[in-house]
């Protein structure tokens, strides 16, 4: 869908992955997925889901790497 308006409505910290951005990414992830992705296919699915929620790819990948290190 067209996302122009939504993006402007988001606080800058959310897009930049500031404190709020990190915690809401974690909240959204935890509400949708029961566990750290078991393989690359599952990881790709989680990444796509989170990108669809408006999170930046680099923030998602950083978040998942942290999860994999500290499950």
């Amino acid at each position: 869908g067209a996302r122009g308006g939504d993006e402007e409505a988001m606080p800058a910290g959310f897009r930049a992955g500031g404190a709020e951005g990190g915690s809401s990414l974690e909240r959204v992830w935890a509400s949708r997925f029961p566990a750290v992705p078991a393989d690359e296919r599952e990881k790709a699915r989680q990444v796509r889901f989170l990108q669809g929620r408006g999170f930046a790819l680099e923030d998602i990948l950083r978040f998942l790497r942290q999860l994999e290190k500290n499950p």
Side-chain angles (χ1 to χ4, degrees), residues 2-70:
R3 275 206 280 221
D6 302 358
E7 226 161 272
E8 273 143 16
M10 271 193 258
F14 182 86
R15 278 203 309 273
E20 305 95 340
S23 60
S24 61
L25 196 166
E26 190 170 355
R27 251 198 328 276
V28 171
W29 178 86
S31 71
R32 180 71 173 76
F33 299 108
V36 178
D39 55 34
E40 285 305 309
R41 195 166 151 218
E42 175 63 16
K43 184 175 187 173
R45 200 169 72 83
Q46 294 190 10
V47 167
R48 279 195 306 274
F49 170 82
L50 292 165
Q51 282 183 298
R53 290 292 182 276
F55 295 104
L57 179 60
E58 65 184 87
D59 294 334
I60 297 166
L61 294 176
R62 188 181 315 122
F63 170 74
L64 290 174
R65 269 199 305 275
Q66 288 170 346
L67 279 184
E68 286 163 0
K69 276 187 237 161
N70 317 302

